[in-house]
Every structure is written in C-alpha cells, then in structure tokens.
Amino acid sequence: MRFMVIVKATPESEKEGALPDPQLLLEMGKYNEELSKAGVLLALDGLHPSSKGARVKFSGKSRTVVDGPFTEAKELIAGFSILQVKSLEEAIEWVKRAPNCNPGSDSEVEIRQIFEMEDLASVLSEEQIQHKVAKRAELPNQTANK
C-alpha cells in the first residue's frame, strides 16, 4: 500500500524566502535516511510558499486562475512524502518517528492512502485497468508497484 504523507504549511513556512532551519534539515535528513534504508520511502519533496503558486478554479467549462499567496496556511501543504508500507498503522508509526517540522509549536501531518488500480476494479474493466497500469509504468519516476 502506498500512502502520501502531507506536511501542512505554517505561517512561518508561507513567508516569502522562508527556508527551513538548518538543524531541522539535519534531523529530517536522518529520518529520511531511515525511511530509505528500510525501503519504504518512494518520494519526498518540500514546496515553495503559496506566493509562488497558483490555483485554477473550474466552473463548468470556465477556468479561472488565482495567483498565490493563499491566506489559510493551515489548509496549505509545505511538503510531502510517499511511503510504501503494509498498512495505515505502519505509516502512522513511521510518521510518529519524524521530527516536528514546526519546533516549539503544534503541527499536523496528514496520511492518505493512494489509489491503486485494483481499488478501481468495481468501476473499470480489466482491459481499462491494464491500459492504465501500462500507461503509469511509462511515466518517469513512477512509484506504483515498486
């Protein structure tokens, strides 16, 4: 099972030019090395503040672009990782070992299971599933079924 671990943004991480604390980077590096050595880490990255991003709003056939920054930091993402583990419980145990990305304050990390093609068997034919699996395998850096 694959899970996306979503690190929520904070007002501090949303500041223009904000960079993580060097000590936090060292702690995160050690933690990420543990994940990697255990063979559960598939991907990870941090994100620039929302001021460097945009949102595209869909309304029927209309598309509207809204430039960042976005006001609610607690609804934004500062970074993510993708873990391949046996269960949600195992993902939770790994996340509980992570350093607090917002030392001295409360922070929250969300864990969400990623759909696999077999999860869609009730709505897709076997042919459609195999087609999607083949197309996914063509993508660079694909993390499914590794």
Side-chain angles (χ1 to χ4, degrees):
M1 300 174 134
R2 293 179 302 150
F3 290 88
M4 177 176 271
V5 177
I6 303 164
V7 178
K8 303 290 180 114
T10 65
E12 187 62 35
S13 70
E14 276 296 296
K15 289 182 180 172
E16 186 66 35
L19 294 173
D21 174 71
Q23 182 60 37
L24 175 60
L25 286 176
L26 284 172
E27 291 173 18
M28 285 303 295
K30 289 177 186 174
Y31 170 70
N32 292 336
E33 186 65 28
E34 279 184 62
L35 293 169
S36 184
K37 283 182 180 176
V40 299
L41 182 62
L42 298 178
L44 71 123
D45 266 309
L47 303 174
H48 281 276
S50 66
S51 60
K52 295 189 175 190
R55 290 181 176 165
V56 178
K57 292 187 176 189
F58 291 73
S59 180
K61 293 186 185 238
S62 175
R63 308 295 185 262
T64 305
V65 176
V66 178
D67 293 326
F70 307 114
T71 55
E72 288 294 321
K74 66 182 180 182
E75 296 177 7
L76 301 175
I77 298 170
F80 71 93
S81 59
I82 297 178
L83 306 181
Q84 175 101 41
V85 292
K86 293 183 175 95
S87 65
L88 174 60
E89 292 74 20
E90 185 180 355
I92 290 169
E93 288 307 311
W94 276 109
V95 171
K96 286 168 57 176
R97 294 167 62 179
N100 184 348
C101 291
N102 193 21
S105 200
D106 289 345
S107 62
E108 185 175 79
V109 173
E110 185 175 336
I111 304 168
R112 303 272 303 270
Q113 187 173 352
I114 297 172
F115 272 107
E116 303 297 350
M117 283 297 110
E118 56 268 15
D119 296 330
L120 304 173
S122 66
V123 294
L124 296 176
S125 70
E126 183 61 30
E127 183 179 323
Q128 289 171 312
I129 290 172
Q130 291 309 316
H131 176 76
K132 290 181 182 304
V133 168
K135 287 297 178 191
R136 180 184 278 174
E138 293 173 8
L139 296 173
N141 301 318
Q142 183 47 239
T143 60
N145 301 320
K146 282 193 177 177

